[in-house]
Amino acid sequence: DTGVSQDPRHKITKRGQNVTFRCDPISEHNRLYWYRQTLGQGPEFLTYFQNEAQLEKSRLLSDRFSAERPKGSFSTLEIQRTEQGDSAMYLCASSRAGDRLWKTEAFFGQGTRLTVV
Amino acid sequence: AQKITQTQPGMFVQEKEAVTLDCTYDTSDQSYGLFWYKQPSSGEMIFLIYQGSYDEQNATEGRYSLNFQKARKSANLVISASQLGDSAMYFCAMRDGGYNKLIFGAGTRLAVHP
């Protein structure tokens, strides 16, 4: 399977605990994105990497959130001191480099559904 | 600021009929791309179709076509010959030349009835 892979698929955690999610993009894609999707809404952008560099962060990404992409391959998203409002689907996407940014579609993983109790 | 508006929270269609899902967008950029994604209950976002702002022809991909009206800033998705497996959430999204991220609408839930 050469698609975007996310792990775990589901995570239930107690409020105040830290959680970490992993995303493995399509191998030849150098761009990687994290989105958050709450129930009944479209995905909202969190952050973006080009290779190992984190180039953009949304204001939605509070200080409790941190993302990394060491060596420009897989990425991790960590949430510290989780709150009930963090409950959502966390989606990872990747896209290839292209000469026209607006032309390149993003391919999404199946997401990690986080429930904070 | 970029914005995507999908005004239809839910749509119903009879199997084998065609259905149009509405999408309007707002951007000040001249170069942009419009995308439609399908999200089944399993959660993954499946890319369906792309339309570029400079493309003169409407995009088509199998049973999917995009009715692009640039002056009206609309990019409606047309699904022909609906199938039961088309039941899902459908999201319209946009990316322009200045930003890497996709901006999504709130989505339309499509239910295909036998």
Side-chain angles (χ1 to χ4, degrees):
Chain A
D1 185 9
T2 57
V4 178
S5 176
Q6 291 189 245
D7 184 68
R9 293 288 311 280
H10 303 274
K11 179 72 177 178
I12 300 174
T13 191
K14 290 184 178 179
R15 189 177 54 182
Q17 298 292 306
N18 299 345
V19 293
T20 300
F21 311 139
R22 177 179 171 125
C23 171
D24 288 90
I26 294 171
S27 59
E28 63 267 27
H29 288 184
N30 69 339
R31 297 192 175 120
L32 187 147
Y33 310 81
W34 285 99
Y35 289 83
R36 181 174 71 185
Q37 185 179 23
T38 52
L39 208 58
Q41 299 296 317
E44 295 175 292
F45 170 77
L46 291 178
T47 190
Y48 154 68
F49 290 85
Q50 182 160 306
N51 300 313
E52 65 274 9
Q54 188 174 20
L55 297 185
E56 189 175 354
K57 291 168 60 173
S58 163
R59 66 182 188 280
L60 294 174
L61 215 65
S62 75
D63 292 345
R64 297 184 297 105
F65 287 70
S66 63
E68 294 182 342
R69 193 183 181 196
K71 302 178 184 177
S73 55
F74 71 92
S75 175
T76 58
L77 178 68
E78 181 184 16
I79 309 174
Q80 295 182 328
R81 305 181 303 281
T82 51
E83 302 172 356
Q84 287 188 321
D86 297 331
S87 295
M89 174 81 89
Y90 290 84
L91 292 163
C92 176
S94 70
S95 63
R96 58 178 171 77
D99 57 343
R100 298 288 185 269
L101 280 175
W102 62 90
K103 279 190 172 181
T104 51
E105 70 269 30
F107 295 89
F108 283 79
Q110 291 185 299
T112 295
R113 186 172 295 281
L114 173 67
T115 304
V116 182
V117 297
Chain B
Q2 296 174 304
K3 187 177 180 182
I4 294 283
T5 303
Q6 294 181 256
T7 57
Q8 306 155 315
M11 290 284 286
F12 297 90
V13 66
Q14 207 75 23
E15 195 178 7
K16 299 179 186 176
E17 305 256 312
V19 63
T20 298
L21 307 183
D22 294 342
C23 171
T24 58
Y25 61 92
D26 190 20
T27 180
S28 56
D29 208 329
Q30 296 300 308
S31 304
Y32 52 89
L34 297 154
F35 304 80
W36 277 92
Y37 285 85
K38 172 184 177 182
Q39 188 176 44
S41 56
S42 57
E44 63 190 298
M45 299 284 285
I46 302 168
F47 167 71
L48 296 178
I49 196 167
Y50 159 82
Q51 178 83 41
S53 58
Y54 295 119
D55 296 340
E56 294 182 355
Q57 303 273 354
N58 285 344
T60 59
E61 288 286 349
R63 293 187 300 110
Y64 304 108
S65 61
L66 202 152
N67 184 0
F68 181 47
Q69 297 187 43
K70 193 170 182 177
R72 296 181 62 186
K73 293 191 173 179
S74 74
N76 298 339
L77 177 70
V78 180
I79 305 174
S80 63
S82 298
Q83 301 172 356
L84 296 178
D86 293 334
S87 294
M89 283 291 290
Y90 288 81
F91 291 97
C92 181
M94 176 175 66
R95 190 206 313 264
D96 69 25
Y99 299 92
N100 280 288
K101 59 182 175 282
L102 286 167
I103 303 296
F104 285 85
T108 296
R109 182 172 296 281
L110 177 66
V112 181
H113 292 174

